Protein backbone atom coordinates (compact mmCIF):
# COMPACT_ATOMS: atom_id res chain seq x y z
CA UNK A 1 0.00 0.00 0.00
CA UNK A 2 1.34 3.37 -1.00
CA UNK A 3 0.57 6.93 -0.01
CA UNK A 4 -0.17 8.88 -3.16
CA UNK A 5 -0.78 12.59 -3.55
CA UNK A 6 -2.73 13.32 -6.73
CA UNK A 7 -2.91 16.89 -7.99
CA UNK A 8 -5.47 17.73 -10.65
CA UNK A 9 -5.11 20.91 -12.75
CA UNK A 10 -7.81 23.25 -14.00
CA UNK A 11 -8.60 21.43 -17.25
CA UNK A 12 -8.99 18.17 -15.34
CA UNK A 13 -11.75 19.71 -13.19
CA UNK A 14 -13.17 22.02 -15.86
CA UNK A 15 -16.81 20.84 -15.43
CA UNK A 16 -18.84 18.21 -13.60
CA UNK A 17 -18.14 15.54 -16.20
CA UNK A 18 -14.40 16.03 -15.75
CA UNK A 19 -14.78 16.11 -11.97
CA UNK A 20 -16.56 12.77 -12.21
CA UNK A 21 -13.64 11.46 -14.26
CA UNK A 22 -11.24 12.64 -11.53
CA UNK A 23 -13.41 11.03 -8.86
CA UNK A 24 -13.18 7.74 -10.72
CA UNK A 25 -9.39 7.96 -10.83
CA UNK A 26 -9.22 8.70 -7.13
CA UNK A 27 -11.61 5.83 -6.45
CA UNK A 28 -9.46 3.48 -8.51
CA UNK A 29 -6.31 4.36 -6.56
CA UNK A 30 -8.25 3.76 -3.36
CA UNK A 31 -9.65 0.43 -4.51
CA UNK A 32 -6.11 -0.65 -5.28
CA UNK A 33 -5.42 -0.23 -1.57
CA UNK A 34 -3.59 3.09 -1.52
CA UNK A 35 -4.02 6.05 0.77
CA UNK A 36 -4.84 9.04 -1.42
CA UNK A 37 -4.67 12.75 -0.73
CA UNK A 38 -6.01 14.95 -3.52
CA UNK A 39 -5.03 18.52 -4.34
CA UNK A 40 -7.14 20.46 -6.83
CA UNK A 41 -6.86 23.64 -8.87
CA UNK A 42 -9.78 25.87 -9.71
CA UNK A 43 -11.98 24.93 -12.66
CA UNK A 44 -10.25 26.02 -15.90
CA UNK A 45 -10.56 29.75 -16.54
CA UNK A 46 -11.92 30.53 -13.08
CA UNK A 47 -8.75 32.08 -11.64
CA UNK A 48 -8.43 34.25 -14.77
CA UNK A 49 -12.03 35.37 -14.33
CA UNK A 50 -11.44 36.31 -10.70
CA UNK A 51 -8.26 38.21 -11.60
CA UNK A 52 -10.16 40.19 -14.24
CA UNK A 53 -12.81 41.08 -11.68
CA UNK A 54 -10.16 42.36 -9.28
CA UNK A 55 -8.61 44.45 -12.04
CA UNK A 56 -11.98 45.89 -12.98
CA UNK A 57 -12.56 46.90 -9.38
CA UNK A 58 -9.20 48.68 -9.12
CA UNK A 59 -6.21 49.20 -11.39
CA UNK A 60 -3.83 48.24 -8.60
CA UNK A 61 -5.86 46.10 -6.18
CA UNK A 62 -4.74 45.66 -2.61
CA UNK A 63 -2.92 42.33 -2.63
CA UNK A 64 -4.41 40.99 0.59
CA UNK A 65 -7.91 41.31 -0.83
CA UNK A 66 -6.72 40.10 -4.23
CA UNK A 67 -5.57 36.85 -2.62
CA UNK A 68 -8.82 36.44 -0.68
CA UNK A 69 -10.65 36.74 -3.97
CA UNK A 70 -8.55 34.63 -6.33
CA UNK A 71 -8.16 31.75 -3.87
CA UNK A 72 -11.91 31.05 -3.99
CA UNK A 73 -11.88 29.07 -7.24
CA UNK A 74 -10.19 26.13 -5.53
CA UNK A 75 -12.83 25.99 -2.80
CA UNK A 76 -15.49 25.31 -5.42
CA UNK A 77 -13.65 22.49 -7.20
CA UNK A 78 -12.52 20.85 -3.94
CA UNK A 79 -16.06 20.76 -2.52
CA UNK A 80 -17.54 19.57 -5.83
CA UNK A 81 -15.04 16.72 -5.98
CA UNK A 82 -15.79 15.75 -2.36
CA UNK A 83 -19.54 15.75 -3.09
CA UNK A 84 -19.00 13.64 -6.21
CA UNK A 85 -16.84 11.10 -4.38
CA UNK A 86 -19.40 10.89 -1.58
CA UNK A 87 -22.16 10.25 -4.10
CA UNK A 88 -20.07 7.31 -5.35
CA UNK A 89 -19.88 5.93 -1.84
CA UNK A 90 -16.38 7.14 -0.98
CA UNK A 91 -15.92 9.14 2.21
CA UNK A 92 -14.20 12.37 1.18
CA UNK A 93 -13.84 15.80 2.77
CA UNK A 94 -12.59 19.05 1.32
CA UNK A 95 -10.19 21.36 3.17
CA UNK A 96 -8.99 24.88 2.53
CA UNK A 97 -5.30 25.75 2.88
CA UNK A 98 -5.90 27.52 6.22
CA UNK A 99 -7.87 24.55 7.58
CA UNK A 100 -4.96 22.17 6.96
CA UNK A 101 -2.65 24.97 7.94
CA UNK A 102 -0.51 25.37 4.94
CA UNK A 103 1.63 28.10 6.42
CA UNK A 104 3.20 30.66 4.09
CA UNK A 105 5.05 33.94 4.33
CA UNK A 106 3.06 37.13 3.81
CA UNK A 107 4.11 37.88 0.23
CA UNK A 108 0.55 38.15 -1.10
CA UNK A 109 0.08 36.73 -4.61
CA UNK A 110 3.55 35.11 -4.59
CA UNK A 111 3.65 33.57 -1.11
CA UNK A 112 6.04 30.74 -0.29
CA UNK A 113 5.02 27.70 1.68
CA UNK A 114 6.92 27.48 4.95
CA UNK A 115 5.23 24.48 6.51
CA UNK A 116 2.40 22.06 5.87
CA UNK A 117 0.83 20.72 9.05
CA UNK A 118 -0.03 17.06 8.67
CA UNK A 119 -2.08 16.26 11.81
CA UNK A 120 -5.48 16.86 10.20
CA UNK A 121 -4.58 15.03 7.01
CA UNK A 122 -3.29 12.03 8.93
CA UNK A 123 -6.42 11.94 11.06
CA UNK A 124 -8.58 11.90 7.94
CA UNK A 125 -6.54 9.13 6.36
CA UNK A 126 -6.63 7.11 9.55
CA UNK A 127 -10.42 7.44 9.62
CA UNK A 128 -10.48 6.03 6.08
CA UNK A 129 -11.46 9.30 4.41
CA UNK A 130 -10.05 10.96 1.32
CA UNK A 131 -8.88 14.52 2.03
CA UNK A 132 -9.32 16.93 -0.87
CA UNK A 133 -7.08 19.97 -0.40
CA UNK A 134 -7.45 23.28 -2.22
CA UNK A 135 -4.27 24.04 -4.14
CA UNK A 136 -2.72 27.47 -4.67
CA UNK A 137 -3.42 28.89 -1.20
CA UNK A 138 -2.21 29.06 2.34
CA UNK A 139 -2.35 31.23 5.41
CA UNK A 140 0.30 33.50 6.91
CA UNK A 141 1.27 33.83 10.57
CA UNK A 142 -1.37 36.58 11.03
CA UNK A 143 -4.14 34.39 9.63
CA UNK A 144 -4.37 36.17 6.27
CA UNK A 145 -5.18 34.08 3.19
CA UNK A 146 -2.31 34.02 0.72
CA UNK A 147 -1.84 32.60 -2.79
CA UNK A 148 1.24 30.98 -4.24
CA UNK A 149 1.53 32.53 -7.72
CA UNK A 150 0.02 31.25 -10.97
CA UNK A 151 0.23 27.51 -11.31
CA UNK A 152 0.72 27.26 -7.54
CA UNK A 153 -1.42 24.16 -7.05
CA UNK A 154 1.52 22.12 -8.33
CA UNK A 155 3.52 23.43 -5.40
CA UNK A 156 0.72 22.64 -2.95
CA UNK A 157 0.68 19.09 -4.33
CA UNK A 158 4.40 18.56 -3.91
CA UNK A 159 4.55 20.33 -0.53
CA UNK A 160 1.75 18.12 0.81
CA UNK A 161 3.54 15.05 -0.60
CA UNK A 162 6.81 16.14 1.02
CA UNK A 163 5.17 16.81 4.41
CA UNK A 164 3.40 13.43 4.40
CA UNK A 165 6.49 11.66 3.01
CA UNK A 166 4.26 10.31 0.25
CA UNK A 167 5.62 7.74 -2.18
CA UNK A 168 4.81 9.87 -5.21
CA UNK A 169 3.18 13.12 -6.23
CA UNK A 170 1.13 12.59 -9.37
CA UNK A 171 0.47 15.77 -11.33
CA UNK A 172 -2.52 15.24 -13.59
CA UNK A 173 -2.88 17.65 -16.49
CA UNK A 174 -4.08 17.93 -20.09
CA UNK A 175 -0.91 16.61 -21.78
CA UNK A 176 0.73 13.19 -21.47
CA UNK A 177 3.83 14.48 -19.68
CA UNK A 178 6.74 16.87 -20.09
CA UNK A 179 7.74 17.32 -23.72
CA UNK A 180 10.81 18.72 -25.46
CA UNK A 181 8.69 21.82 -25.98
CA UNK A 182 5.02 22.76 -25.53
CA UNK A 183 3.20 20.10 -27.60
CA UNK A 184 0.37 22.55 -28.19
CA UNK A 185 2.80 24.80 -30.08
CA UNK A 186 4.98 22.22 -31.76
CA UNK A 187 3.24 19.01 -32.88
CA UNK A 188 6.67 17.35 -33.34
CA UNK A 189 7.51 17.72 -29.65
CA UNK A 190 8.51 14.47 -27.97
CA UNK A 191 7.64 13.22 -24.54
CA UNK A 192 10.55 12.88 -22.13
CA UNK A 193 10.13 9.81 -19.95
CA UNK A 194 12.61 10.85 -17.24
CA UNK A 195 14.02 14.28 -16.47
CA UNK A 196 16.21 15.49 -13.61
CA UNK A 197 14.97 18.03 -11.07
CA UNK A 198 17.58 20.53 -12.25
CA UNK A 199 16.64 20.41 -15.91
CA UNK A 200 12.95 20.51 -15.06
CA UNK A 201 13.56 23.52 -12.84
CA UNK A 202 15.25 25.29 -15.69
CA UNK A 203 12.41 24.47 -18.10
CA UNK A 204 9.79 25.56 -15.57
CA UNK A 205 11.56 28.81 -14.78
CA UNK A 206 11.80 29.62 -18.47
CA UNK A 207 8.14 29.17 -19.26
CA UNK A 208 7.23 25.46 -19.47
CA UNK A 209 4.15 26.01 -17.33
CA UNK A 210 3.41 22.27 -17.07
CA UNK A 211 4.98 22.50 -13.58
CA UNK A 212 5.37 25.57 -11.39
CA UNK A 213 9.05 26.06 -10.65
CA UNK A 214 8.59 26.08 -6.88
CA UNK A 215 7.00 22.65 -7.02
CA UNK A 216 10.19 21.29 -8.57
CA UNK A 217 12.35 23.10 -6.01
CA UNK A 218 10.34 21.45 -3.25
CA UNK A 219 10.53 18.06 -4.91
CA UNK A 220 14.30 18.32 -5.23
CA UNK A 221 14.78 19.49 -1.65
CA UNK A 222 12.65 16.73 -0.14
CA UNK A 223 13.35 14.13 -2.80
CA UNK A 224 9.71 13.67 -3.84
CA UNK A 225 9.33 11.78 -7.14
CA UNK A 226 6.89 13.61 -9.43
CA UNK A 227 4.92 11.78 -12.09
CA UNK A 228 3.43 14.23 -14.62
CA UNK A 229 0.64 12.55 -16.58
CA UNK A 230 -2.67 13.03 -18.29
CA UNK A 231 -5.98 12.75 -16.46
CA UNK A 232 -7.58 11.62 -19.73
CA UNK A 233 -5.71 8.32 -20.26
CA UNK A 234 -3.66 5.72 -18.40
CA UNK A 235 -0.35 6.19 -20.21
CA UNK A 236 2.78 6.55 -18.15
CA UNK A 237 3.92 10.18 -18.25
CA UNK A 238 7.16 11.88 -17.25
CA UNK A 239 9.07 11.08 -14.07
CA UNK A 240 10.86 14.05 -12.55
CA UNK A 241 13.52 12.55 -10.34
CA UNK A 242 17.09 12.85 -9.04
CA UNK A 243 19.69 12.89 -11.78
CA UNK A 244 21.12 9.47 -12.56
CA UNK A 245 23.85 8.22 -14.86
CA UNK A 246 21.35 6.95 -17.39
CA UNK A 247 20.38 10.54 -18.15
CA UNK A 248 22.68 11.49 -20.94
CA UNK A 249 23.75 15.10 -20.99
CA UNK A 250 22.41 16.11 -24.38
CA UNK A 251 23.38 19.40 -25.92
CA UNK A 252 19.91 20.87 -26.04
CA UNK A 253 17.05 19.00 -24.40
CA UNK A 254 14.20 21.46 -24.59
CA UNK A 255 12.82 24.73 -25.91
CA UNK A 256 10.56 26.99 -23.88
CA UNK A 257 8.39 29.97 -24.68
CA UNK A 258 7.39 32.44 -22.00
CA UNK A 259 4.62 34.86 -22.88
CA UNK A 260 4.56 36.22 -19.39
CA UNK A 261 7.12 38.94 -20.06
CA UNK A 262 7.12 42.73 -20.08
CA UNK A 263 9.98 45.10 -20.76
CA UNK A 264 10.66 48.41 -19.06
CA UNK A 265 13.15 50.95 -20.39
CA UNK A 266 14.37 53.97 -18.45
CA UNK A 267 16.13 56.38 -20.76
CA UNK A 268 18.86 58.85 -19.94
CA UNK A 269 19.63 57.57 -16.49
CA UNK A 270 22.49 59.59 -14.91
CA UNK A 271 25.39 57.12 -14.91
CA UNK A 272 26.71 57.21 -11.36
CA UNK A 273 27.27 54.73 -8.52
CA UNK A 274 24.13 53.75 -6.64
CA UNK A 275 21.64 54.39 -9.44
CA UNK A 276 20.96 50.73 -10.23
CA UNK A 277 20.38 50.05 -6.56
CA UNK A 278 17.93 53.00 -6.37
CA UNK A 279 15.97 51.60 -9.31
CA UNK A 280 15.87 47.93 -8.34
CA UNK A 281 15.54 48.03 -4.54
CA UNK A 282 11.89 49.22 -4.50
CA UNK A 283 11.06 46.63 -7.16
CA UNK A 284 12.52 43.75 -5.21
CA UNK A 285 10.94 45.06 -1.97
CA UNK A 286 7.61 44.71 -3.79
CA UNK A 287 8.47 41.03 -4.50
CA UNK A 288 8.70 41.67 -8.23
CA UNK A 289 11.25 39.40 -9.86
CA UNK A 290 13.47 41.11 -12.41
CA UNK A 291 14.80 38.78 -15.06
CA UNK A 292 17.08 40.22 -17.76
CA UNK A 293 18.81 43.57 -17.28
CA UNK A 294 20.66 45.48 -19.97
CA UNK A 295 22.54 48.69 -19.40
CA UNK A 296 23.83 50.50 -22.47
CA UNK A 297 27.32 51.95 -22.53
CA UNK A 298 27.28 55.42 -21.17
CA UNK A 299 27.57 58.44 -23.42
CA UNK A 300 27.84 61.99 -22.01
CA UNK A 301 27.26 60.66 -18.49
CA UNK A 302 23.89 59.12 -19.24
CA UNK A 303 22.82 55.56 -19.98
CA UNK A 304 19.64 53.62 -20.86
CA UNK A 305 18.52 50.78 -18.63
CA UNK A 306 16.19 48.03 -19.86
CA UNK A 307 14.86 45.10 -17.88
CA UNK A 308 12.15 42.44 -18.01
CA UNK A 309 9.60 41.45 -15.37
CA UNK A 310 6.48 39.24 -15.29
CA UNK A 311 3.67 40.84 -17.26
CA UNK A 312 1.26 40.73 -14.33
CA UNK A 313 3.60 42.93 -12.29
CA UNK A 314 3.99 45.65 -14.91
CA UNK A 315 1.51 48.17 -13.49
CA UNK A 316 2.94 47.92 -10.00
CA UNK A 317 6.50 48.07 -11.30
CA UNK A 318 5.80 51.13 -13.47
CA UNK A 319 4.41 53.02 -10.51
CA UNK A 320 7.63 52.38 -8.58
CA UNK A 321 9.97 52.99 -11.50
CA UNK A 322 8.34 56.28 -12.47
CA UNK A 323 8.78 57.54 -8.93
CA UNK A 324 12.46 56.55 -8.91
CA UNK A 325 13.01 58.00 -12.39
CA UNK A 326 11.79 61.38 -11.14
CA UNK A 327 14.03 61.20 -8.09
CA UNK A 328 17.17 60.37 -10.06
CA UNK A 329 16.18 62.76 -12.87
CA UNK A 330 16.06 60.20 -15.66
CA UNK A 331 14.37 61.34 -18.84
CA UNK A 332 11.50 58.88 -19.38
CA UNK A 333 10.09 55.42 -18.67
CA UNK A 334 8.67 53.19 -21.40
CA UNK A 335 6.86 49.85 -21.14
CA UNK A 336 6.47 47.13 -23.76
CA UNK A 337 4.18 44.14 -23.24
CA UNK A 338 4.50 42.97 -26.79
CA UNK A 339 7.43 40.65 -26.18
CA UNK A 340 8.09 36.98 -25.40
CA UNK A 341 11.15 35.00 -24.34
CA UNK A 342 12.29 31.88 -26.17
CA UNK A 343 14.96 29.72 -24.56
CA UNK A 344 16.93 26.61 -25.31
CA UNK A 345 17.95 24.42 -22.38
CA UNK A 346 20.55 21.70 -22.09
CA UNK A 347 22.98 20.46 -19.49
CA UNK A 348 25.48 19.63 -22.23
CA UNK A 349 25.69 23.22 -23.43
CA UNK A 350 28.39 24.23 -21.00
CA UNK A 351 31.06 22.18 -22.77
CA UNK A 352 30.11 23.01 -26.35
CA UNK A 353 30.92 26.03 -28.46
CA UNK A 354 28.61 27.23 -31.19
CA UNK A 355 25.24 26.60 -29.56
CA UNK A 356 24.45 30.32 -29.26
CA UNK A 357 25.44 31.07 -32.84
CA UNK A 358 23.31 28.18 -34.06
CA UNK A 359 20.37 29.61 -32.14
CA UNK A 360 20.88 33.14 -33.47
CA UNK A 361 21.36 31.79 -37.00
CA UNK A 362 18.11 29.80 -36.88
CA UNK A 363 16.18 32.87 -35.75
CA UNK A 364 17.87 35.10 -38.33
CA UNK A 365 16.92 32.70 -41.12
CA UNK A 366 13.26 33.42 -40.31
CA UNK A 367 13.96 37.15 -40.05
CA UNK A 368 13.19 37.16 -36.34
CA UNK A 369 14.88 40.08 -34.64
CA UNK A 370 16.46 39.45 -31.23
CA UNK A 371 15.83 42.27 -28.73
CA UNK A 372 17.65 40.93 -25.67
CA UNK A 373 19.88 37.93 -24.92
CA UNK A 374 20.87 36.23 -21.70
CA UNK A 375 22.91 33.09 -21.15
CA UNK A 376 23.88 30.73 -18.38
CA UNK A 377 25.73 27.41 -18.31
CA UNK A 378 22.56 25.52 -19.02
CA UNK A 379 20.41 27.86 -21.16
CA UNK A 380 20.27 30.69 -23.69
CA UNK A 381 17.28 33.03 -23.81
CA UNK A 382 16.26 35.57 -26.43
CA UNK A 383 13.53 38.19 -26.18
CA UNK A 384 11.68 38.61 -29.46
CA UNK A 385 8.53 40.34 -30.65
CA UNK A 386 5.43 38.51 -29.37
CA UNK A 387 4.10 37.65 -32.80
CA UNK A 388 7.21 35.54 -33.53
CA UNK A 389 7.11 33.51 -30.30
CA UNK A 390 5.53 30.32 -31.59
CA UNK A 391 7.42 30.39 -34.86
CA UNK A 392 10.69 30.87 -32.97
CA UNK A 393 9.85 27.91 -30.73
CA UNK A 394 9.23 25.60 -33.70
CA UNK A 395 12.30 26.83 -35.57
CA UNK A 396 14.59 26.20 -32.59
CA UNK A 397 13.02 22.84 -31.84
CA UNK A 398 13.84 21.79 -35.37
CA UNK A 399 17.27 23.45 -35.54
CA UNK A 400 18.44 21.36 -32.58
CA UNK A 401 16.95 18.14 -33.92
CA UNK A 402 14.62 17.63 -30.97
CA UNK A 403 11.90 16.00 -33.04
CA UNK A 404 14.24 13.16 -33.95
CA UNK A 405 14.03 10.03 -31.82
CA UNK A 406 17.73 9.24 -31.74
CA UNK A 407 18.92 12.58 -30.35
CA UNK A 408 16.86 12.60 -27.18
CA UNK A 409 17.74 10.86 -23.97
CA UNK A 410 15.05 8.34 -23.24
CA UNK A 411 11.83 10.05 -24.22
P1 LIG B 1 -2.96 22.44 -15.36
O1 LIG B 1 -4.20 23.26 -15.48
O2 LIG B 1 -3.21 20.97 -15.41
O3 LIG B 1 -2.09 22.85 -14.23
P2 LIG B 1 -1.24 23.91 -17.16
O4 LIG B 1 -1.95 24.63 -18.23
O5 LIG B 1 -0.78 24.70 -15.99
O6 LIG B 1 -2.15 22.69 -16.71
O7 LIG B 1 0.01 23.12 -17.76
C1 LIG B 1 -0.15 22.24 -18.85
C2 LIG B 1 0.22 22.93 -20.14
O8 LIG B 1 1.60 23.23 -20.13
C3 LIG B 1 0.04 22.12 -21.40
O9 LIG B 1 -1.28 22.18 -21.87
C4 LIG B 1 1.04 22.73 -22.36
O10 LIG B 1 0.43 23.64 -23.25
C5 LIG B 1 1.97 23.54 -21.45
N1 LIG B 1 3.40 23.23 -21.66
C6 LIG B 1 4.36 24.17 -21.85
N2 LIG B 1 5.54 23.60 -22.03
C7 LIG B 1 5.36 22.27 -21.94
C8 LIG B 1 6.23 21.14 -22.05
N3 LIG B 1 7.54 21.28 -22.28
N4 LIG B 1 5.71 19.90 -21.91
C9 LIG B 1 4.38 19.75 -21.68
N5 LIG B 1 3.51 20.77 -21.57
C10 LIG B 1 3.97 22.02 -21.70
N1 LIG C 1 -5.83 28.13 -10.14
C1 LIG C 1 -4.49 28.66 -10.02
C2 LIG C 1 -4.05 29.27 -11.35
O1 LIG C 1 -4.80 29.26 -12.30
C3 LIG C 1 -3.51 27.65 -9.53
C4 LIG C 1 -3.21 26.50 -10.46
O2 LIG C 1 -3.95 26.27 -11.42
O3 LIG C 1 -2.23 25.79 -10.23
O4 LIG C 1 -2.98 29.80 -11.43
MG1 LIG D 1 -0.73 24.40 -13.96
Amino acid sequence: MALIVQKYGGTSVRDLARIRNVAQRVAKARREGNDVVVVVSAMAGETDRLIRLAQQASEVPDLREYDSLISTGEQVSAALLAITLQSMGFPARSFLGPQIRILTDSAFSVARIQKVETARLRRELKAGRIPIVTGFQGVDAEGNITTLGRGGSDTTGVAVAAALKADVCEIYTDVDGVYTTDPNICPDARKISRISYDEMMEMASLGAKVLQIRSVEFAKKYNVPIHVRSSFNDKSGTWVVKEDEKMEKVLVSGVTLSKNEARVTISRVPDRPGVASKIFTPISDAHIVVDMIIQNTSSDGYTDMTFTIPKGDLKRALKLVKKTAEEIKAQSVMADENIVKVSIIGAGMVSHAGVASKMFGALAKENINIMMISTSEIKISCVVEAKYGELATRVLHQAFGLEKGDLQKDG
Side-chain angles (χ1 to χ4, degrees):
M1 189 176 92
L3 171 55
I4 303 174
V5 174
Q6 299 190 328
K7 177 263 168 177
Y8 291 91
T11 42
S12 302
V13 294
R14 143 168 290 143
D15 51 33
L16 282 177
R18 296 253 169 110
I19 289 180
R20 226 167 284 132
N21 168 60
V22 166
Q24 263 143 15
R25 282 188 169 270
V26 176
K28 181 163 176 270
R30 265 299 283 257
R31 275 197 216 101
E32 287 167 353
N34 303 297
D35 271 340
V36 187
V37 176
V38 184
V39 174
V40 287
S41 295
M43 295 162 95
E46 178 61 6
T47 310
D48 288 336
R49 187 184 74 87
L50 295 166
I51 289 174
R52 278 196 303 273
L53 278 177
Q55 285 165 345
Q56 282 160 16
S58 158
E59 200 166 284
V60 193
D62 173 73
L63 288 179
R64 181 188 182 278
E65 303 315 319
Y66 178 83
D67 275 6
S68 283
L69 174 69
I70 70 168
S71 61
T72 58
E74 273 71 10
Q75 181 166 2
V76 174
S77 49
L80 282 173
L81 179 58
I83 292 171
T84 308
L85 274 162
Q86 287 172 8
S87 74
M88 291 163 52
F90 286 86
R93 271 188 182 171
S94 64
F95 295 95
L96 301 178
Q99 289 175 304
I100 297 294
R101 279 189 51 91
I102 295 180
L103 280 165
T104 71
D105 61 19
S106 302
F108 294 114
S109 85
V110 287
R112 281 178 179 269
I113 294 180
Q114 291 170 332
K115 191 176 174 216
V116 176
E117 290 188 9
T118 56
R120 186 66 198 258
L121 290 171
R122 289 200 191 283
R123 240 188 299 143
E124 293 298 316
L125 290 172
K126 211 164 162 210
R129 286 189 288 265
I130 305 168
I132 321 269
V133 181
T134 50
F136 183 51
Q137 56 176 267
V139 63
D140 73 1
E142 267 82 59
N144 301 302
I145 293 167
T146 56
T147 65
L148 309 178
R150 297 309 305 267
S153 298
D154 297 332
T155 303
T156 310
V158 177
V160 166
L164 289 170
K165 300 193 175 53
D167 296 286
V168 58
C169 179
E170 297 179 335
I171 303 277
Y172 285 95
T173 184
D174 58 355
V175 287
D176 289 350
V178 180
Y179 282 70
T180 47
T181 193
D182 187 338
N184 290 318
I185 293 176
C186 185
D188 288 342
R190 296 191 333 101
K191 192 171 87 187
I192 302 169
S193 59
R194 283 163 70 81
I195 187 168
S196 69
Y197 292 126
D198 286 329
E199 258 183 306
M200 189 64 236
M201 242 160 9
E202 204 69 35
M203 284 188 73
S205 75
L206 292 168
K209 69 166 184 164
V210 62
L211 284 178
Q212 197 199 35
I213 178 169
R214 283 186 190 161
S215 71
V216 194
E217 283 169 7
F218 248 101
K220 182 181 179 190
K221 190 162 169 200
Y222 296 100
N223 213 359
V224 180
I226 299 180
H227 187 189
V228 182
R229 55 192 306 198
S230 167
S231 63
F232 310 138
N233 61 48
D234 283 325
K235 287 185 208 161
S236 176
T238 300
W239 285 87
V240 188
V241 290
K242 233 183 359 209
E243 190 165 352
D244 61 41
E245 17 358 294
K246 276 189 282 164
M247 291 174 180
E248 191 196 330
K249 285 197 167 25
V250 291
L251 195 57
V252 173
S253 53
V255 179
T256 58
L257 171 64
S258 170
K259 296 181 179 172
N260 180 29
E261 308 285 323
R263 185 169 67 144
V264 177
T265 302
I266 317 174
S267 47
R268 286 189 71 76
V269 175
D271 196 8
R272 53 168 194 261
V275 163
S277 159
K278 276 215 174 72
I279 293 173
F280 291 109
T281 302
I283 299 177
S284 82
D285 287 349
H287 300 286
I288 297 171
V289 179
V290 175
D291 182 18
M292 298 185 190
I293 303 178
I294 291 180
Q295 184 181 331
N296 288 353
T297 46
S298 166
S299 61
D300 62 11
Y302 290 89
T303 180
D304 291 341
M305 192 95 87
T306 302
F307 59 91
T308 60
I309 51 169
K311 217 174 232 168
D313 291 330
L314 182 61
K315 283 199 179 116
R316 281 196 306 136
L318 276 179
K319 229 174 148 177
L320 299 168
V321 172
K322 280 182 179 157
K323 187 162 169 265
T324 315
E326 255 171 47
E327 282 164 20
I328 60 175
K329 303 200 161 47
Q331 192 179 60
S332 61
V333 178
M334 277 174 308
D336 182 2
E337 287 185 88
N338 196 24
I339 59 161
V340 293
K341 181 171 73 175
V342 276
S343 310
I344 56 173
I345 295 141
M349 222 181 264
V350 57
S351 52
H352 278 80
V355 181
S357 60
K358 190 167 175 179
M359 179 181 193
F360 305 152
L363 295 175
K365 223 168 115 195
E366 294 292 334
N367 260 324
I368 301 173
N369 187 38
I370 301 170
M371 298 161 149
M372 295 169 94
I373 300 167
S374 82
T375 63
S376 78
E377 286 186 345
I378 186 173
K379 63 106 201 212
I380 305 172
S381 301
C382 294
V383 168
V384 302
E385 216 182 310
K387 68 178 180 195
Y388 294 126
E390 301 198 349
L391 174 65
T393 305
R394 284 192 288 269
V395 161
L396 294 174
H397 193 263
Q398 202 193 10
F400 288 95
L402 293 177
E403 78 284 12
K404 294 194 196 107
D406 54 347
L407 262 181
Q408 255 311 299
K409 23 188 165 197
D410 54 351

